Amino acid sequence: MKEVIIIKLGEIVLKGLNRKTFEDRLIKNIKHRLHKIGPCKVKNSQSIITVAPVFDDIDIDEVADCISHIFGIAAFSRACVAEKDIENIKITSAEYLKDHFDRITSFKVEAKRSDKKFPFTSPEIAREVGGYLADTFPEVTVDVHDPDAVVTVEIRDDAAYIHSEVLKGAGGIPVGTGGKAAILISGGIDSPVAAYMMAKRGIELTAVHFASPPYTSERAEEKVVGLLERVAKYSGRMTMYTVPFTKLQEEIRDKCHEEYFTIIMRRFMMMLSERIAKQNECQALITGESLGQVASQTIGAIACTDIACDMPVFRPLIGMDKEEIITISRKIDTFDISIQPYEDCCTVFTPKHPRTRPVLKNVLAEEQKIDYEPLFSEALQNLKVTEIN
């Protein structure tokens, strides 16, 4: 019995004349993500996409799990393929749904007839298949108002498809349709969530991480790689650039007033990230900042940080509270890694009383105490590059 995945599009259907561009990108993403599992035939026809494993030994469960993490998919179903003959459809429905019917007490059948040449109307298909299933499984009753399961029979040009359970997709739009941006990634809870949320809006990600050995350990960097691997289940592969940041932080500590440590550190991070972003043809930066969460995330501090670079800065978490962010981090399976006790460079030389309402001219005056351009050049020449798959 041949089983396939039927994919239903969401937001893509609203794209008008640009719809095909989005559909083509989604199909490309699906093929790329399924490549590691095994060859699958991906077909776009009559407003749905079907994914059919080429070989019988390809694990359809693994295919379905992969599909559930791809942005641009609103919903999907595992479906059985049947010949377009009403008797074959009835017999195949009963065979395919046997295990499912063992777990329910009521059902109804809905039919969709895209192929108008099929000799039965949609109500007639529903009645025929529903009657056969009711006779085959007499312990399961027909309930057209509030059934445990809805069996759907779709008659399309190439075949009939039978499915019951509709699974929720990742939503959003296909990665790669929204441009490219660089995410400033730490080992905390927030930045992986920000990366996920911008990938959901079609952004192709490049990651920038700052390390300060010996103040930060290799385990801290491994933690970030682990976080990005979880995000990559949704975003697809990306490149992570690890910036050696120790000398710059030590210069800030030695030459600047303590209350400005954090804001100057953040400005340097933005400057360096922008340069890496431009080298990778990115059009924006992304951070995991949430307004008022810490001293460096007040309106005044954010204003002083933003002016350090020319690129737009996306902050998808800006209006969210911590519980909302944690809920998403649990959903995408990054929370348990984020709370591992390996701290990143943002915790190095943290001032006791950071400036929450910094004045830009004072920040610049402190910043000018450091000859940072040679240190920037040295850091950029010693980037560590890690491919995240």
Side-chain angles (χ1 to χ4, degrees):
M1 187 178 299
K2 185 178 181 181
E3 194 172 15
V4 301
I5 306 291
I6 294 179
I7 292 171
K8 299 297 176 69
L9 306 179
E11 189 177 338
I12 291 176
V13 302
L14 305 176
K15 296 301 180 182
L17 297 176
N18 293 322
R19 176 172 171 172
K20 189 176 186 305
T21 300
F22 284 80
E23 289 178 342
D24 289 346
R25 183 65 193 218
L26 175 58
I27 290 171
K28 179 181 178 181
N29 291 350
I30 292 170
K31 289 179 177 179
H32 178 76
R33 300 284 287 278
L34 291 175
H35 179 72
K36 63 179 180 179
I37 298 173
C40 294
K41 184 178 179 181
V42 183
K43 182 180 178 182
N44 185 10
S45 176
Q46 296 176 300
S47 299
I48 67 166
I49 294 173
T50 55
V51 177
V54 173
F55 303 123
D56 293 339
D57 60 350
I58 293 176
D59 189 342
I60 194 71
D61 292 328
E62 195 173 354
V63 173
D65 179 67
C66 183
I67 292 293
S68 72
H69 292 89
I70 299 176
F71 289 129
I73 297 173
F76 66 99
S77 299
R78 292 172 59 161
C80 179
V81 182
E83 295 178 11
K84 290 198 299 182
D85 171 81
I86 194 64
E87 293 302 319
N88 184 270
I89 291 170
K90 291 191 292 186
I91 294 170
T92 303
S93 297
E95 292 177 356
Y96 182 60
L97 298 171
K98 181 181 183 302
D99 291 342
H100 189 49
F101 268 56
D102 288 341
R103 303 190 297 270
I104 62 175
T105 60
S106 63
F107 79 100
K108 74 172 182 178
V109 176
E110 294 180 349
K112 301 176 181 179
R113 188 180 62 141
S114 299
D115 180 7
K116 302 304 181 184
K117 296 179 181 179
F118 191 73
F120 290 81
T121 65
S122 294
E124 289 171 342
I125 297 167
R127 185 167 59 248
E128 288 284 332
V129 176
Y132 186 86
L133 292 174
D135 291 340
T136 306
F137 306 102
E139 68 282 4
V140 183
T141 60
V142 175
D143 183 348
V144 297
H145 299 293
D146 188 25
D148 290 339
V150 177
V151 176
T152 302
V153 179
E154 299 190 31
I155 309 296
R156 297 191 170 271
D157 288 344
D158 57 337
Y161 297 93
I162 302 149
H163 57 91
S164 180
E165 189 176 10
V166 178
L167 303 171
K168 186 176 176 59
I173 57 178
V175 172
T177 58
K180 299 178 67 175
I183 172 72
L184 279 71
I185 186 82
S186 70
I189 296 171
D190 301 341
S191 55
V193 174
Y196 160 84
M197 292 180 68
M198 293 312 302
K200 190 173 184 177
R201 299 313 306 157
I203 295 293
E204 185 178 335
L205 299 173
T206 293
V208 182
H209 174 64
F210 293 85
S212 295
Y215 306 106
T216 59
S217 67
E218 288 186 13
R219 296 298 296 273
E221 188 175 337
E222 292 169 0
K223 175 183 174 182
V224 173
V225 170
L227 288 169
L228 289 176
E229 287 174 343
R230 298 288 173 87
V231 173
K233 290 184 71 175
Y234 295 90
S235 68
R237 63 188 178 185
M238 71 186 90
T239 301
M240 181 179 90
Y241 295 90
T242 302
V243 183
F245 204 53
T246 307
K247 290 184 179 180
L248 280 157
Q249 285 195 286
E250 289 175 339
E251 283 287 290
I252 295 170
R253 176 199 62 189
D254 295 341
K255 296 182 178 178
C256 300
H257 196 282
E258 183 184 16
E259 63 183 6
Y260 291 101
F261 282 3
T262 301
I263 189 68
I264 294 174
M265 178 192 71
R266 293 291 298 174
R267 283 174 55 83
F268 284 175
M269 286 180 170
M270 298 296 277
M271 294 177 193
L272 285 163
S273 297
E274 182 178 46
R275 298 183 190 193
I276 294 169
K278 288 180 177 178
Q279 291 172 0
N280 285 272
E281 299 181 343
C282 295
Q283 301 155 296
L285 301 178
I286 305 166
T287 75
E289 292 164 304
S290 172
L291 188 63
Q293 186 170 215
V294 294
S296 64
Q297 296 176 18
T298 62
I299 290 178
I302 289 173
C304 287
T305 301
D306 269 7
I307 207 167
C309 60
D310 297 324
M311 279 187 170
V313 181
F314 296 147
R315 294 180 171 90
L317 314 186
I318 195 69
M320 299 175 67
D321 63 37
K322 200 65 178 182
E323 282 304 312
E324 292 173 310
I325 298 169
I326 288 174
T327 297
I328 298 175
S329 74
R330 291 186 187 278
K331 171 187 171 183
I332 63 176
D333 205 23
T334 57
F335 180 76
D336 290 344
I337 298 179
S338 292
I339 61 175
Q340 291 176 2
Y342 307 114
E343 297 182 332
D344 56 44
C345 69
C346 293
T347 62
V348 177
F349 311 136
T350 303
K352 293 181 180 179
H353 304 288
R355 177 76 66 166
T356 58
R357 296 181 180 178
V359 176
L360 181 59
K361 66 177 182 180
N362 296 334
V363 173
L364 294 175
E366 289 293 313
E367 190 177 281
Q368 288 167 6
K369 296 177 181 178
I370 301 172
D371 184 15
Y372 56 80
E373 280 297 342
L375 296 173
F376 278 16
S377 297
E378 182 180 345
L380 292 171
Q381 288 170 6
N382 290 281
L383 295 175
K384 179 181 176 181
V385 181
T386 306
E387 297 299 332
I388 307 294
N389 295 307

Coordinates of all heavy atoms in Angstrom, one line a residue, residues 117-173:
K117 N -14.3 14.8 -13.8 CA -14.7 13.7 -14.7 C -15.0 12.4 -13.9 O -15.5 11.4 -14.5 CB -13.5 13.4 -15.7 CG -13.3 14.5 -16.7 CD -12.1 14.2 -17.6 CE -11.8 15.4 -18.6 NZ -10.7 15.1 -19.5
F118 N -14.6 12.4 -12.7 CA -14.9 11.2 -11.8 C -16.4 11.0 -11.8 O -17.2 12.0 -11.5 CB -14.3 11.4 -10.5 CG -14.3 10.1 -9.6 CD1 -13.5 9.1 -9.9 CD2 -15.2 10.0 -8.6 CE1 -13.5 7.9 -9.1 CE2 -15.2 8.8 -7.8 CZ -14.4 7.8 -8.1
P119 N -17.0 9.8 -12.0 CA -18.4 9.6 -12.1 C -19.3 9.8 -10.9 O -20.5 9.7 -11.0 CB -18.5 8.2 -12.7 CG -17.3 7.5 -12.2 CD -16.2 8.6 -12.2
F120 N -18.7 10.0 -9.7 CA -19.4 10.2 -8.5 C -19.2 11.6 -8.0 O -18.1 12.2 -8.1 CB -19.0 9.2 -7.4 CG -19.4 7.8 -7.7 CD1 -18.6 7.0 -8.5 CD2 -20.5 7.3 -7.1 CE1 -19.0 5.7 -8.8 CE2 -20.9 5.9 -7.3 CZ -20.1 5.2 -8.2
T121 N -20.3 12.3 -7.5 CA -20.1 13.6 -6.9 C -19.5 13.5 -5.5 O -19.4 12.4 -4.9 CB -21.5 14.3 -6.8 OG1 -22.3 13.6 -5.9 CG2 -22.2 14.4 -8.2
S122 N -19.1 14.6 -4.9 CA -18.5 14.6 -3.6 C -19.5 14.0 -2.6 O -19.1 13.1 -1.8 CB -18.1 16.0 -3.2 OG -17.0 16.4 -4.0
P123 N -20.8 14.4 -2.5 CA -21.7 13.7 -1.5 C -21.8 12.2 -1.8 O -21.9 11.4 -0.8 CB -23.0 14.5 -1.8 CG -22.6 15.8 -2.3 CD -21.4 15.5 -3.2
E124 N -21.8 11.8 -3.0 CA -22.0 10.4 -3.3 C -20.7 9.6 -2.9 O -20.9 8.5 -2.4 CB -22.2 10.2 -4.8 CG -23.6 10.7 -5.3 CD -23.7 10.7 -6.8 OE1 -22.7 10.7 -7.5 OE2 -24.9 10.7 -7.3
I125 N -19.6 10.2 -3.1 CA -18.3 9.5 -2.6 C -18.3 9.4 -1.1 O -18.0 8.3 -0.6 CB -17.1 10.4 -3.1 CG1 -17.0 10.4 -4.6 CG2 -15.8 9.7 -2.5 CD1 -16.0 11.5 -5.1
A126 N -18.7 10.4 -0.4 CA -18.8 10.4 1.0 C -19.8 9.3 1.5 O -19.5 8.6 2.5 CB -19.1 11.8 1.6
R127 N -20.9 9.3 0.9 CA -21.9 8.3 1.3 C -21.5 6.9 1.0 O -21.6 6.0 1.8 CB -23.2 8.6 0.5 CG -24.4 7.7 0.9 CD -25.7 8.2 0.4 NE -25.7 8.3 -1.1 CZ -25.7 9.4 -1.8 NH1 -25.8 10.6 -1.1 NH2 -25.8 9.4 -3.1
E128 N -20.9 6.6 -0.2 CA -20.4 5.3 -0.5 C -19.3 4.8 0.5 O -19.3 3.7 1.0 CB -19.9 5.2 -1.9 CG -20.9 5.3 -3.0 CD -21.7 4.0 -3.2 OE1 -21.1 3.0 -2.9 OE2 -22.9 4.1 -3.6
V129 N -18.3 5.6 0.6 CA -17.2 5.3 1.5 C -17.6 5.2 3.0 O -17.2 4.3 3.7 CB -16.0 6.3 1.4 CG1 -14.9 5.9 2.3 CG2 -15.5 6.2 -0.1
G130 N -18.4 6.1 3.4 CA -18.9 6.1 4.8 C -19.7 4.9 5.1 O -19.6 4.2 6.2
G131 N -20.6 4.5 4.1 CA -21.4 3.3 4.3 C -20.5 2.0 4.4 O -20.7 1.1 5.3
Y132 N -19.5 1.9 3.6 CA -18.6 0.8 3.6 C -17.8 0.7 4.9 O -17.7 -0.4 5.5 CB -17.7 0.9 2.4 CG -16.8 -0.4 2.2 CD1 -17.3 -1.5 1.5 CD2 -15.5 -0.4 2.8 CE1 -16.5 -2.6 1.3 CE2 -14.7 -1.6 2.6 CZ -15.2 -2.6 1.9 OH -14.4 -3.8 1.8
L133 N -17.3 1.8 5.4 CA -16.6 1.8 6.6 C -17.5 1.5 7.8 O -17.1 0.8 8.7 CB -15.9 3.2 6.8 CG -14.8 3.6 5.9 CD1 -14.3 5.0 6.1 CD2 -13.6 2.6 6.0
A134 N -18.7 2.0 7.8 CA -19.6 1.7 8.9 C -19.9 0.2 8.9 O -20.1 -0.4 10.0 CB -20.9 2.5 8.7
D135 N -20.1 -0.5 7.7 CA -20.3 -1.9 7.7 C -19.1 -2.7 8.1 O -19.2 -3.7 8.8 CB -20.7 -2.3 6.3 CG -22.1 -1.8 5.9 OD1 -22.9 -1.4 6.8 OD2 -22.3 -1.7 4.7
T136 N -17.9 -2.2 7.8 CA -16.7 -2.9 8.1 C -16.3 -2.8 9.5 O -15.7 -3.7 10.1 CB -15.5 -2.3 7.2 OG1 -15.9 -2.4 5.8 CG2 -14.2 -3.1 7.4
F137 N -16.6 -1.6 10.1 CA -16.3 -1.4 11.5 C -17.6 -1.0 12.3 O -17.8 0.1 12.6 CB -15.3 -0.2 11.7 CG -14.0 -0.4 10.9 CD1 -13.8 0.3 9.6 CD2 -13.0 -1.2 11.3 CE1 -12.7 0.1 8.9 CE2 -11.9 -1.4 10.5 CZ -11.7 -0.8 9.3
P138 N -18.4 -2.0 12.6 CA -19.7 -1.7 13.2 C -19.7 -1.1 14.6 O -20.6 -0.5 15.0 CB -20.4 -3.1 13.2 CG -19.3 -4.1 13.1 CD -18.2 -3.4 12.3
E139 N -18.5 -1.3 15.2 CA -18.4 -0.8 16.6 C -18.1 0.7 16.6 O -18.2 1.4 17.6 CB -17.3 -1.5 17.3 CG -15.9 -1.2 16.8 CD -15.5 -2.0 15.6 OE1 -16.4 -2.7 15.1 OE2 -14.3 -1.9 15.1
V140 N -17.8 1.3 15.4 CA -17.6 2.7 15.3 C -18.8 3.4 14.6 O -19.2 3.0 13.5 CB -16.3 3.0 14.4 CG1 -16.0 4.5 14.4 CG2 -15.1 2.3 15.0
T141 N -19.4 4.3 15.3 CA -20.6 4.9 14.8 C -20.3 6.1 13.9 O -19.3 6.8 13.9 CB -21.5 5.4 15.9 OG1 -20.8 6.4 16.7 CG2 -21.9 4.2 16.8
V142 N -21.3 6.5 13.0 CA -21.2 7.7 12.2 C -21.8 8.8 13.0 O -22.9 8.8 13.5 CB -22.1 7.5 10.9 CG1 -22.1 8.8 10.1 CG2 -21.5 6.3 10.1
D143 N -21.0 9.9 13.0 CA -21.4 11.1 13.7 C -21.0 12.3 12.8 O -19.8 12.7 12.8 CB -20.8 11.2 15.1 CG -21.2 12.4 15.9 OD1 -21.9 13.3 15.3 OD2 -20.9 12.5 17.1
V144 N -21.9 12.9 12.2 CA -21.6 14.0 11.2 C -21.4 15.4 11.9 O -21.0 16.3 11.3 CB -22.7 14.1 10.1 CG1 -22.7 12.9 9.3 CG2 -24.0 14.5 10.7
H145 N -21.7 15.4 13.2 CA -21.6 16.7 13.9 C -20.4 16.8 14.8 O -19.7 17.9 14.7 CB -22.9 16.9 14.8 CG -24.2 16.9 14.1 ND1 -24.5 17.9 13.2 CD2 -25.2 16.0 14.1 CE1 -25.7 17.7 12.7 NE2 -26.1 16.5 13.2
D146 N -20.0 15.8 15.5 CA -18.8 15.9 16.4 C -18.1 14.6 16.4 O -18.0 13.9 17.5 CB -19.3 16.3 17.8 CG -18.1 16.6 18.7 OD1 -17.0 16.9 18.2 OD2 -18.2 16.4 20.0
P147 N -17.5 14.2 15.3 CA -16.9 12.8 15.2 C -15.5 12.9 15.9 O -14.8 13.9 15.9 CB -16.8 12.6 13.7 CG -16.6 14.0 13.1 CD -17.5 14.9 14.0
D148 N -15.0 11.7 16.3 CA -13.6 11.6 16.7 C -12.6 11.7 15.6 O -11.5 12.2 15.8 CB -13.4 10.2 17.3 CG -14.1 10.0 18.7 OD1 -14.5 11.0 19.3 OD2 -14.4 8.9 19.1
A149 N -13.1 11.3 14.4 CA -12.2 11.4 13.2 C -13.0 11.8 12.0 O -14.1 11.4 11.8 CB -11.5 10.0 13.0
V150 N -12.3 12.5 11.1 CA -12.9 12.9 9.8 C -12.0 12.2 8.7 O -10.8 12.5 8.6 CB -12.9 14.4 9.6 CG1 -13.4 14.8 8.2 CG2 -13.7 15.1 10.7
V151 N -12.6 11.3 8.0 CA -12.0 10.7 6.9 C -12.2 11.5 5.6 O -13.3 11.8 5.3 CB -12.5 9.2 6.7 CG1 -11.8 8.6 5.5 CG2 -12.3 8.4 7.9
T152 N -11.1 11.8 5.0 CA -11.2 12.7 3.8 C -10.7 11.9 2.6 O -9.7 11.2 2.6 CB -10.3 13.9 3.9 OG1 -10.7 14.7 5.1 CG2 -10.4 14.8 2.7
V153 N -11.5 11.9 1.5 CA -11.2 11.3 0.3 C -11.1 12.4 -0.8 O -12.0 13.1 -1.0 CB -12.3 10.3 -0.2 CG1 -11.9 9.6 -1.5 CG2 -12.5 9.2 0.9
E154 N -9.9 12.5 -1.4 CA -9.7 13.5 -2.4 C -9.5 12.9 -3.7 O -8.6 12.0 -3.9 CB -8.4 14.4 -2.0 CG -8.5 15.1 -0.7 CD -7.4 16.1 -0.4 OE1 -6.9 16.6 -1.5 OE2 -7.0 16.3 0.7
I155 N -10.3 13.2 -4.7 CA -10.2 12.7 -6.0 C -9.4 13.8 -6.9 O -10.0 14.8 -7.2 CB -11.5 12.4 -6.6 CG1 -12.4 11.5 -5.7 CG2 -11.4 11.8 -8.0 CD1 -11.8 10.2 -5.5
R156 N -8.2 13.4 -7.2 CA -7.4 14.4 -8.0 C -7.1 13.8 -9.4 O -7.5 12.6 -9.7 CB -6.1 14.7 -7.2 CG -6.5 15.4 -5.9 CD -5.3 16.0 -5.2 NE -5.7 16.9 -4.1 CZ -6.0 18.2 -4.3 NH1 -5.9 18.8 -5.4 NH2 -6.4 18.9 -3.2
D157 N -6.4 14.5 -10.2 CA -6.2 14.1 -11.6 C -5.4 12.8 -11.7 O -5.7 12.0 -12.5 CB -5.5 15.2 -12.4 CG -6.3 16.4 -12.6 OD1 -7.6 16.3 -12.5 OD2 -5.8 17.5 -13.0
D158 N -4.5 12.6 -10.8 CA -3.6 11.4 -10.9 C -4.0 10.2 -10.1 O -3.7 9.1 -10.5 CB -2.1 11.8 -10.5 CG -2.1 12.4 -9.1 OD1 -3.1 12.9 -8.6 OD2 -1.0 12.3 -8.5
A159 N -4.8 10.5 -9.0 CA -5.1 9.3 -8.1 C -6.2 9.8 -7.1 O -6.5 11.0 -7.0 CB -3.9 8.8 -7.5
A160 N -6.6 8.9 -6.3 CA -7.4 9.2 -5.1 C -6.6 9.1 -3.9 O -5.7 8.2 -3.8 CB -8.6 8.2 -5.0
Y161 N -6.8 10.0 -3.0 CA -6.0 10.1 -1.7 C -6.9 10.0 -0.6 O -7.9 10.7 -0.5 CB -5.2 11.4 -1.7 CG -4.1 11.5 -2.7 CD1 -4.4 12.2 -3.9 CD2 -2.9 11.0 -2.6 CE1 -3.5 12.3 -4.9 CE2 -1.9 11.1 -3.6 CZ -2.2 11.8 -4.8 OH -1.3 11.9 -5.8
I162 N -6.6 9.1 0.4 CA -7.4 8.9 1.6 C -6.6 9.2 2.8 O -5.5 8.7 3.0 CB -7.8 7.4 1.6 CG1 -8.6 7.0 0.3 CG2 -8.7 7.1 2.9 CD1 -8.4 5.6 -0.1
H163 N -7.1 10.1 3.6 CA -6.4 10.4 4.9 C -7.4 10.8 6.0 O -8.6 11.1 5.7 CB -5.4 11.5 4.7 CG -6.0 12.8 4.1 ND1 -6.4 13.8 4.9 CD2 -6.1 13.2 2.8 CE1 -6.8 14.8 4.1 NE2 -6.7 14.5 2.9
S164 N -7.0 10.8 7.2 CA -7.8 11.1 8.3 C -7.3 12.2 9.2 O -7.9 13.3 9.3 CB -8.1 9.9 9.2 OG -8.9 10.2 10.3
E165 N -6.1 12.0 9.7 CA -5.5 13.0 10.7 C -4.8 14.1 9.9 O -4.0 13.9 9.1 CB -4.6 12.3 11.6 CG -4.1 13.2 12.8 CD -3.2 12.4 13.8 OE1 -2.8 11.3 13.4 OE2 -2.9 13.0 14.8
V166 N -5.2 15.3 10.3 CA -4.5 16.5 9.7 C -3.5 17.0 10.8 O -3.9 17.3 11.9 CB -5.5 17.6 9.3 CG1 -4.8 18.9 8.8 CG2 -6.5 17.1 8.3
L167 N -2.3 17.1 10.4 CA -1.2 17.5 11.4 C -0.8 19.0 11.1 O -0.8 19.4 9.9 CB 0.0 16.6 11.2 CG -0.3 15.1 11.4 CD1 0.9 14.3 11.0 CD2 -0.7 14.9 12.8
K168 N -0.5 19.7 12.1 CA -0.2 21.1 12.0 C 1.2 21.3 11.5 O 2.2 20.6 12.0 CB -0.3 21.8 13.4 CG -0.1 23.3 13.4 CD -0.4 23.9 14.7 CE -0.1 25.4 14.7 NZ -0.9 26.2 13.8
G169 N 1.4 22.1 10.5 CA 2.8 22.4 10.0 C 3.4 23.5 10.8 O 2.9 24.0 11.7
A170 N 4.6 23.9 10.3 CA 5.4 24.9 11.0 C 4.9 26.3 10.7 O 5.3 27.3 11.4 CB 6.9 24.8 10.6
G171 N 4.1 26.5 9.7 CA 3.6 27.8 9.3 C 4.6 28.7 8.7 O 5.7 28.2 8.2
G172 N 4.4 30.0 8.7 CA 5.3 30.9 8.1 C 5.4 30.9 6.6 O 4.5 30.4 5.9
I173 N 6.6 31.3 6.1 CA 6.9 31.3 4.7 C 8.2 30.6 4.5 O 9.0 30.6 5.4 CB 6.8 32.7 4.1 CG1 7.8 33.7 4.8 CG2 5.4 33.3 4.1 CD1 7.9 35.1 4.2

